Amino acid sequence: MSSAVSQITGVPTNIITGFLGAGKTTAILNLLAHKPEGERWAVLVNEFGEIGVDGSLVEGQSGEATGVFIREVPGGCMCCTAGLPMQIALAQLLRRAKPQRLLIEPTGLGHPLEVLQTLSAEHNREVLTIQKTLTVVDARNIADERYSTHATFEQQLAIADLVIANKQDLYTDSDKANLQAYVEERCRPGVDIVYTEYGQVPLTALDGPTAITANEPAHQHARKEAPLLAEDLPFPECGYVTAMNQGEGFESIGWRFNPEIVFDRQRLFAFLSGLQVERLKAVFITADGIFGYNMTRDALTESVLGECAESRIEIITDAIRPQWIDKLTDCFDQAA
């Protein structure tokens, strides 16, 4: 940590983890909306794909005026390569925000234990005070072996101080029973379940120290030279940058579009709503304004945004379809 950051001490820090589509980002947005007036909060977001979208989705809600500061670490698990991408982003975020609270959102396909170990490392101990880890789950997924036997999903439950069972309005009694049994089997004794809808997590859920100790050496991923991220690439003549990633049994593909490109909102929504993928996040500049898109197993939602620098989309799936980019370019508004 730099000397400027080292002057910041004891920042209460929460990891908010959970598998794809459980509602982590929605929960964080709700927490930010209810943060104490006058406090400065920082959020470090990790995305599986290399096209960072979450920062664009909350861009209009961050900055000095709101007291909310966002920093992204795209391109896979942020604890990779000895945690260097995470450490750089964390130092920059703390220096800018000087926050009263820090929220960490690892990718749903990342390694939350290793993130916790990095945060608990000696060089962070004076700067950060690690508080409760919240694991957001969709109880309906417990019956699906792709989730319940996935090593990352198991690890997310193993480090939980509190389980947030989101989307409870969609649960059956069987879903709740399955979750209770799974939590008793996978979590530490005494870990509570809080049932919620639309990510409405109470601020009190953040308070209190974590019961997890992170003394074991962090998992070491294969070291490789870091490529120039899609975030940093200039736009080629075609007007868009493509980036792909894979791991943990899933693939991702994403695109950044030159900000001069405007989309036809109606054609765009028709294309996005027809996709059958694990997860989708996007922000698009359209002829009707700027819109954010969020797809989970339940629905595709569209929300109005105030601003964004450029159109972006990230798709996580079990099989990438090469025709998707052609469908997207067909959505360009030729009249713009």
Side-chain angles (χ1 to χ4, degrees):
M1 289 282 179
S2 69
S3 58
V5 174
S6 63
Q7 296 171 11
I8 302 168
T9 59
V11 178
T13 301
N14 301 90
I15 296 175
I16 300 182
T17 187
F19 216 68
L20 299 172
K24 299 186 299 299
T25 302
T26 303
I28 288 174
L29 288 173
N30 274 296
L31 288 166
L32 294 176
H34 293 91
K35 76 173 180 65
E37 188 174 354
E39 283 197 4
R40 298 165 67 90
W41 283 26
V43 185
L44 187 63
V45 179
N46 180 210
E47 296 194 53
F48 178 69
E50 288 191 16
I51 304 292
V53 175
D54 277 338
S56 298
L57 288 172
V58 299
E59 198 170 68
Q61 302 177 44
S62 62
E64 290 288 344
T66 60
V68 173
F69 301 85
I70 312 289
R71 184 73 160 80
E72 288 180 294
V73 185
C77 180
M78 62 181 162
C79 66
C80 294
T81 318
L84 186 58
M86 178 178 172
Q87 283 300 124
I88 293 172
L90 180 59
Q92 292 173 343
L93 178 61
L94 291 174
R95 185 163 51 246
R96 176 181 171 222
K98 300 178 178 60
Q100 274 84 43
R101 184 171 294 275
L102 170 67
L103 304 179
I104 308 285
E105 182 192 350
T107 169
L109 293 172
H111 307 88
L113 179 59
E114 283 75 26
V115 172
L116 178 60
Q117 290 166 341
T118 300
L119 294 172
S120 304
E122 186 173 352
H123 54 270
N124 287 328
R125 286 176 188 165
E126 287 189 9
V127 179
L128 307 177
T129 298
I130 309 301
Q131 296 200 319
K132 287 181 180 177
T133 292
L134 277 55
T135 298
V136 184
V137 301
D138 181 340
R140 297 172 297 168
N141 291 336
I142 302 300
D144 187 339
E145 287 191 353
R146 291 187 309 159
Y147 295 83
S148 62
T149 62
H150 197 289
T152 299
F153 187 79
E154 293 176 336
Q155 190 182 100
Q156 289 166 353
L157 272 295
I159 72 164
D161 292 298
L162 189 66
V163 174
I164 306 296
N166 195 31
K167 307 182 183 182
Q168 68 158 334
D169 52 314
L170 304 176
Y171 296 173
T172 64
D173 290 342
S174 176
D175 292 329
K176 290 185 177 181
N178 287 342
L179 177 61
Q180 185 66 50
Y182 193 88
V183 166
E184 290 176 359
E185 178 184 352
R186 305 286 179 170
C187 294
R188 292 173 294 100
V191 171
D192 290 330
I193 302 174
V194 173
Y195 290 90
T196 187
E197 300 173 18
Y198 308 110
Q200 295 173 348
V201 180
L203 288 179
T204 53
L206 300 174
D207 295 333
T210 180
I212 297 292
T213 56
N215 297 324
E216 293 299 316
H219 171 66
Q220 295 296 312
H221 304 279
R223 289 178 178 266
K224 58 183 179 181
E225 288 297 318
L228 190 64
L229 289 175
E231 284 273 311
D232 306 315
L233 294 173
F235 289 106
E237 188 174 344
C238 66
Y240 59 85
V241 170
T242 305
M244 292 184 285
N245 194 9
Q246 62 180 352
E248 305 295 323
F250 291 89
E251 300 178 3
S252 77
I253 188 166
W255 294 273
R256 293 173 51 223
F257 294 90
N258 189 305
E260 296 180 0
I261 294 174
V262 177
F263 286 78
D264 181 288
R265 179 186 173 194
Q266 191 171 9
R267 292 204 302 269
L268 180 66
F269 189 86
F271 165 65
L272 297 178
S273 59
L275 291 172
Q276 294 182 332
V277 297
E278 193 69 28
R279 194 77 172 90
L280 178 152
K281 290 183 181 181
V283 56
F284 282 101
I285 301 169
T286 81
D288 297 326
I290 299 170
F291 294 89
Y293 297 89
N294 194 347
M295 176 182 279
T296 67
R297 61 181 286 182
D298 300 307
L300 172 70
T301 59
E302 180 187 65
S303 57
V304 178
L305 300 179
E307 59 179 300
C308 76
E310 62 191 31
S311 297
R312 298 180 172 206
I313 180 171
E314 189 79 60
I315 298 171
I316 299 177
T317 182
D318 55 0
I320 292 171
R321 306 289 189 269
Q323 66 267 30
W324 285 341
I325 185 57
D326 294 329
K327 299 288 187 182
L328 280 168
T329 57
D330 286 344
C331 296
F332 290 175
D333 189 329
Q334 302 303 326

